[in-house]
Amino acid sequence: MTGTKRPQSKSDLVQQVIDRLEVRYGRSRLIARFEPMDELVSCILSQHTSDTSSFPAFTNLRATFPQWRDVVEAGPERVAEVIRKAGLANQKSKSIIACLNEIYNRVGEYSLESLRQMPTLEARKWLMELPGVGPKTASIVLCFSMGRETIPVDTHIYRVSWRIGIIPDDTGEVKAHDLLMRIVPPHLAFRYHIDLIQHGRVVCKAPNPDCPSCPVTDLCQWYQTGGSAKRKDELLKRRLRKAAPET
């Protein structure tokens, strides 16, 4: 698509990007999959692994220990046995139990329901003060279990955001959480998260983006400044270096 004037405001740019991506991928609707405590523990299990590994481990954990108190009383070694399929089981079992203990110490129960009464940024800060919880995990809990306007930033969202020019390319994933919350209108936060993940997985891939099939190239700062062509040249030179005979 060519000939469209790039919006001057970032919020207008976000709206146009979402509108076009949803023509391609459809519009998603938020349906809470877990209550907040389940979402938190599921997120911890998903760190550095795939959903196909972490979800069965979470299901096994909840089947083995129906109450969160049961997890704490079982101890890290037993919990690690139960969640082994999620990978890094020893580390994750300790993180889960540490989080559960801290939550109980703060509110007197294994529950995050009190966060529903807090402003979003205050609730995110509360979560990020738990052991091993960063902005991505905190944002996932608030977004997917409470419908808050947080934007969990993974590698796909970060890459597509800076390529389009919504955020600077040197922002970093951690700082991008705060910056995107200031840029993306709250009512678009969930859709932005879902749309950009999908686009990053299907089209705007890290090593070799499929720019010819992209519906937002005329809005994309990286494409308009020759980023796609430069990337192709880099990949070609890399292949030629690998193919060159040793001397």
Side-chain angles (χ1 to χ4, degrees):
M1 187 177 293
T2 59
T4 302
K5 185 177 180 181
R6 182 181 170 89
Q8 292 188 350
S9 81
K10 292 290 180 70
S11 61
D12 288 344
L13 174 60
V14 166
Q15 181 71 70
Q16 284 202 27
V17 168
I18 288 176
D19 288 344
R20 293 195 196 175
L21 293 183
E22 288 181 349
V23 171
R24 169 75 64 90
Y25 305 116
R27 179 169 174 176
S28 298
R29 184 164 62 94
L30 175 60
I31 300 175
R33 59 183 182 180
F34 294 133
E35 59 88 25
M37 282 294 299
D38 283 8
E39 190 68 67
L40 173 62
V41 174
S42 175
C43 282
I44 294 173
L45 286 173
S46 71
Q47 292 171 359
H48 308 294
T49 192
S50 66
D51 289 346
T52 56
S53 296
S54 65
F55 281 165
F58 175 76
T59 301
N60 194 34
L61 178 72
R62 296 301 277 141
T64 306
F65 307 114
Q67 304 297 322
W68 293 119
R69 182 181 298 278
D70 299 334
V71 176
V72 174
E73 292 176 350
E77 291 185 3
R78 173 65 180 128
V79 171
E81 293 175 4
V82 173
I83 64 171
R84 187 70 60 189
K85 289 184 178 180
L88 300 175
N90 294 333
Q91 175 184 326
K92 290 177 181 179
S93 66
K94 292 175 183 177
S95 294
I96 290 169
I97 291 174
C99 276
L100 292 174
N101 282 330
E102 180 63 20
I103 290 167
Y104 189 86
N105 289 338
R106 291 189 196 180
V107 300
E109 59 181 337
Y110 300 107
S111 172
L112 296 175
E113 291 303 312
S114 61
L115 298 187
R116 296 187 188 275
Q117 309 306 316
M118 295 182 187
T120 297
L121 290 178
E122 182 181 338
R124 194 184 66 161
K125 181 176 182 293
W126 194 99
L127 286 168
M128 287 174 60
E129 290 172 347
L130 294 173
V133 175
K136 181 182 174 184
T137 295
S139 296
I140 289 173
V141 171
L142 292 171
C143 176
F144 284 94
S145 69
M146 297 187 185
R148 297 295 187 92
E149 64 276 14
T150 53
I151 302 174
V153 179
D154 72 350
T155 184
H156 300 296
I157 293 173
Y158 177 64
R159 179 176 64 256
V160 178
S161 293
W162 73 253
R163 279 181 175 172
I164 292 174
I166 294 169
I167 59 175
D169 62 359
D170 59 353
T171 302
E173 289 184 28
V174 173
K175 291 182 179 179
H177 285 84
D178 289 326
L179 186 53
L180 285 173
M181 280 187 68
R182 293 196 294 269
I183 292 172
V184 178
H187 69 283
L188 296 177
F190 172 74
R191 292 163 62 189
Y192 184 90
H193 170 80
I194 296 297
D195 293 344
L196 267 70
I197 281 183
Q198 182 75 352
H199 196 56
R201 289 173 175 169
V202 175
V203 174
C204 195
K205 300 177 182 180
N208 192 15
D210 184 15
C211 294
S213 74
C214 178
V216 296
T217 50
D218 61 316
L219 302 176
C220 179
Q221 180 175 281
W222 186 73
Y223 180 84
Q224 293 296 326
T225 56
S228 177
K230 292 175 184 176
R231 183 61 179 159
K232 288 181 180 178
D233 286 344
E234 290 172 2
L235 293 174
L236 176 60
K237 291 176 181 177
R238 189 178 302 173
R239 286 195 294 268
L240 291 174
R241 284 197 298 269
K242 288 183 179 180
E246 295 184 3
T247 57

